[in-house]
Amino acid sequence: MKEQDIASELIDIRLQLGLDFVGIATAVAGEAQKEIRWKYVAGNRNNRYQKIVLQVGKGIAGIVWRTARPIIAEDLKNDRLAPLQEYPIALTENLASIIAVPIMSDGSVIGVMLGGYRKVTQIKETTIDAFRITADKMQQSLQNIKE
């Protein structure tokens, strides 16, 4: 699977689940201190996401990366643990509700997939399940590109 395939896969899941934005953040290769960047996106409003560089533990992707656990927030302005400025992707893409899941390989996080809505949205269990299944599929795609 090539990078274009990942992009078209993101477009498909975005349309299938009615998401406004979908992105995958991966680590920058060869960095001692892991830097995480949004590498693949669909539904973006601008290209500012390309300037976002996160450390493990910072931002939505960094927190999911560090904990290897999903984050689901139906109202980011009210259910977050940190100020909205700590979530640059949510700010640049104007996201109100998000689901972010780790992409795992051999027990390690290799990426974070985030889906978001620009309006406060109740995220259904079926959406979460479909999103996780897609993230699992992305694991193989991301590994094929690295090889």
Side-chain angles (χ1 to χ4, degrees):
M1 194 179 251
K2 294 184 279 309
E3 293 195 4
Q4 307 96 291
D5 297 333
I6 291 178
S8 70
E9 194 66 36
L10 289 181
I11 292 166
D12 291 348
I13 192 74
R14 187 177 81 81
L15 297 173
Q16 184 188 332
L17 298 179
L19 293 157
D20 294 314
F21 174 86
V22 181
I24 293 180
T26 59
V28 178
E31 295 290 323
Q33 181 67 30
K34 274 206 169 111
E35 284 190 345
I36 305 166
R37 291 177 177 261
W38 293 101
K39 186 158 181 176
Y40 308 100
V41 300
N44 51 308
R45 287 209 162 144
N46 54 53
N47 288 335
R48 288 188 299 186
Y49 73 88
Q50 294 171 338
K51 293 185 171 73
I52 298 171
V53 179
L54 301 165
Q55 304 299 319
V56 171
K58 300 280 189 232
I60 296 164
I63 293 166
V64 171
W65 197 290
R66 189 186 70 220
T67 62
R69 298 172 86 153
I71 292 178
I72 297 161
E74 294 183 340
D75 183 357
L76 262 184
K77 286 186 175 53
N78 297 312
D79 351 328
R80 66 187 183 284
L81 303 170
L84 208 49
Q85 297 81 288
E86 302 276 325
Y87 302 145
I89 194 68
L91 278 176
T92 59
E93 289 299 328
N94 195 23
L95 302 176
S97 301
I98 58 124
I99 173 173
V101 297
I103 300 172
M104 306 292 291
S105 175
D106 299 325
S108 300
V109 178
I110 61 166
V112 173
M113 190 164 107
L114 177 134
Y117 298 95
R118 294 196 172 95
K119 290 186 173 76
V120 173
T121 304
Q122 191 172 4
I123 301 172
K124 297 181 194 83
E125 209 55 51
T126 52
T127 301
I128 295 165
D129 292 343
F131 203 75
R132 281 193 168 134
I133 289 165
T134 302
D136 290 344
K137 279 191 216 160
M138 290 295 179
Q139 176 255 331
Q140 194 61 53
S141 307
L142 288 177
Q143 284 191 304
N144 291 345
I145 287 171
K146 285 183 179 161
E147 289 166 4

